[in-house]
Amino acid sequence: MSGAPDPRAVVVGGGLAGTAAALRLADAGVATTLVESRPRLGGLAFSFRRSGAAGELTVDNGHHVHLRCCTAYRWFLERIGASALAPLQPRLDIPVHDAARGRTGRLRRAALPAPLHLGPSLARYPHLSPAERLRVGRAALALGRLGRVDPSDPALDAQDFGSWLRRHGQSPRAVRALWDLVGVATLNARAPDVSLGLAAMVLTTGLLSEPGAADIGWSRVPLGHLHDTLAAAVLEKAGVRVVRQGRARELAREPDGAWRIAVDTGARRTGRTLRAGTVVLAVPQREAHRLLPEGALEEPERLLRIGDAPILNVHVVYDRKVLHRPFLAALGTPVQWVFDRTAASGLRGEPGGAASQYVAVSQSAAQDEIDLPVAALRDRYLPELARLLPAAREAKVRDFFVTRERTATFAPVPGVGRLRPAARTGAPGLWLAGAWTATGWPATMEGAVRSGLTAAREALAALGRPHDDVFQEAA
């Protein structure tokens, strides 16, 4: 026999999706508990302390950036008081160096309306021939038309982006020097392995929607300071009870309609039970599949068919400055993107006052390298960095280490769109969140926050609470 609905909420998962959902629910006056299996918040965008040859460093597991069009993540930064700690470029400017040819070009926007804002940069882009630049412009206009139709159309989702690029006259060099330069970093896959629908959404939103949409932002402090320290303080202030090292073991519906969540907590996995009328599962897709009660999704096995894609990060500390800009994109080398993380890591110079620099090499779509030994990666990447950064040729390596995320994102393959579930389930009071859900975005920090806010909005609507969106879409 059911009585009055239980007014409490439990969010399972303390990554960006779960944290955003918990904040939104608490801001609307819902008594909320957040359960996270790790001792920290932040999911896969976190930091850790490392003691090595270069001293004590605070290391991000991977370098994450966001764009001006990432309006949900920017809301999140503002909500936790961190906007000034992760500022955006005043204007898109990406230095692109071809290590094989020794030439540097730039992708930057001009003070023109979209899509003309990228025209002057592409017209001078040295990594493409004049004919290739012309064909790129035509393909961009065709891609923009796809974005205006509906990037989530199943017909687009079933196609791969690589085939579409070939049909639109894009040479292998153009794919490497432009389309994959951007696409691999944002989608974590190369063009032949990407759903055309997702590619159209990312590229039209970021590059063709408004002039400033692709301006790049990144954290000037460790990600853990944002996503764990600051986020935890704001959650506490909002009244959210946070249970760390709590693994949800079982989710079951009670006779009165409330949900019972069995949680094992602490190092000894002591059992406890939580009750709530609203539950948001903000965990990876396989964990969600394990916890979902029967009937919550029509085809729950679809969650198990959403694949994963890895990201590898190579970290090098040199005894001198070798990278003379905040970041660099690379061609003609296995290296993809290089970022200066010296200040954020707290790196100190060598004794005697010599300056040191810590660079992070971010390698997406790293299926072929994710399991290579550190020694093999050292032999592969140090010579490539020396080719790319002349100052590294005479520099001494103070430290070299690797971080690996084997399940960094969901794989954005053709057909993945029909596998991604909506926030709403068939079980009253139960909602799904996570970058792998049907956000319309790839697996980014933006997609994660959007999913949490969507789940919270749906839950608040079911509770009869105010549920307006808290962020504005990019134009």
Side-chain angles (χ1 to χ4, degrees):
M1 179 175 175
S2 64
D6 192 311
R8 295 169 293 183
V10 169
V11 178
V12 181
L16 292 178
T19 302
L23 275 174
R24 184 70 186 94
L25 290 167
D27 286 347
V30 178
T32 303
T33 298
L34 176 63
V35 178
E36 167 53 44
S37 62
R38 302 177 182 91
R40 55 164 177 79
L41 304 178
L44 294 179
F46 68 94
S47 307
F48 61 92
R49 293 289 292 170
R50 172 182 168 82
S51 298
E56 288 284 332
L57 300 178
T58 301
V59 177
D60 289 346
N61 70 313
H63 190 81
H64 295 256
V65 303
H66 61 284
L67 307 179
R68 193 178 298 277
C69 62
C70 295
T71 52
Y73 182 68
R74 288 170 55 208
W75 168 86
F76 178 79
L77 290 175
E78 183 176 352
R79 182 65 184 82
I80 65 172
S83 294
L85 300 177
L88 292 155
Q89 291 177 314
R91 181 176 294 184
L92 173 69
D93 189 356
I94 304 174
V96 184
H97 184 73
D98 188 332
R101 300 169 66 197
R103 300 186 67 182
T104 300
R106 305 186 90 88
L107 292 172
R108 50 187 169 188
R109 66 177 174 94
L112 294 169
L116 300 178
H117 64 302
L118 296 176
S121 176
L122 286 175
R124 295 188 297 267
Y125 193 54
H127 308 311
L128 299 177
S129 70
E132 286 171 326
R133 296 172 205 160
L134 181 61
R135 289 193 290 269
V136 161
R138 291 171 177 168
L141 292 176
L143 197 65
R145 289 192 291 271
L146 283 185
R148 287 196 296 272
V149 174
D150 182 4
S152 65
D153 186 322
L156 298 184
D157 180 51
Q159 298 182 53
D160 76 89
F161 186 42
S163 296
W164 186 92
L165 288 173
R166 285 195 301 274
R167 291 196 301 272
H168 286 76
Q170 302 305 289
S171 67
R173 182 168 63 173
V175 173
R176 289 193 303 272
L178 184 65
W179 300 108
D180 268 353
L181 184 81
V182 177
V184 169
T186 53
L187 293 157
N188 197 20
R190 291 176 174 82
D193 302 316
V194 173
S195 155
L196 175 57
L198 271 176
M201 179 270 149
V202 167
L203 294 170
T204 57
T205 301
L207 299 179
L208 304 174
S209 61
E210 62 177 16
D215 298 344
I216 298 173
W218 65 94
S219 178
R220 274 44 167 191
V221 299
L223 287 173
H225 182 66
L226 305 183
H227 301 157
D228 184 13
T229 305
L230 294 182
V234 172
L235 285 165
E236 181 181 6
K237 187 175 181 180
V240 177
R241 181 168 59 127
V242 177
V243 178
R244 299 173 187 253
Q245 293 185 287
R247 182 176 184 269
R249 174 168 39 84
E250 183 184 19
L251 177 65
R253 195 79 180 273
E254 298 279 47
D256 64 356
W259 290 100
R260 174 174 52 83
I261 307 98
V263 178
D264 295 330
T265 60
R268 297 185 178 182
R269 293 300 181 191
T270 304
R272 64 188 294 184
T273 300
L274 302 175
R275 262 181 64 97
T278 298
V279 173
V280 177
L281 288 183
V283 293
Q285 60 266 32
R286 287 167 183 77
E287 183 75 359
H289 180 270
R290 180 183 68 82
L291 290 170
L292 281 173
E294 186 174 354
L297 293 180
E298 287 187 8
E299 298 180 72
E301 66 279 1
R302 286 190 176 187
L303 301 191
L304 303 179
R305 292 162 54 195
I306 301 174
D308 297 311
I311 295 178
L312 174 76
N313 278 265
V314 174
H315 308 260
V316 189
V317 180
Y318 291 100
D319 69 344
R320 66 194 69 181
K321 193 175 185 67
V322 299
L323 177 64
H324 297 279
R325 43 176 62 95
F327 64 90
L328 177 71
L331 301 173
T333 168
V335 174
Q336 295 173 13
W337 292 73
V338 187
F339 298 91
D340 180 4
R341 297 301 296 163
T342 307
S345 71
L347 174 67
R348 299 179 181 273
E350 289 189 299
S356 295
Q357 188 176 38
Y358 163 25
V359 300
V361 180
S362 182
Q363 299 292 107
S364 300
Q367 287 86 345
D368 295 337
E369 297 181 315
I370 194 66
D371 292 318
L372 288 180
V374 172
L377 292 168
R378 183 185 178 107
D379 290 344
R380 177 174 174 80
Y381 280 101
L382 287 183
E384 291 297 332
L385 285 168
R387 288 179 64 221
L388 186 66
L389 307 171
R393 295 167 191 169
E394 303 299 325
K396 176 184 175 182
V397 175
R398 296 183 61 195
D399 200 0
F400 181 99
F401 57 100
V402 174
T403 53
R404 314 171 198 257
E405 289 295 343
R406 292 176 175 81
T407 59
T409 70
F410 70 82
V413 297
V416 72
R418 65 187 182 85
L419 303 178
R420 300 171 71 183
R424 182 184 297 273
T425 74
L430 178 61
W431 316 92
L432 297 177
W436 52 272
T437 60
T439 64
W441 282 69
T444 57
M445 296 190 297
E446 173 72 6
V449 173
R450 279 175 178 260
S451 74
L453 295 178
T454 299
R457 183 190 64 209
E458 298 272 345
L460 291 171
L463 292 169
R465 302 287 185 100
H467 55 278
D468 293 340
D469 284 328
V470 293
F471 65 94
Q472 292 183 343
E473 292 287 358

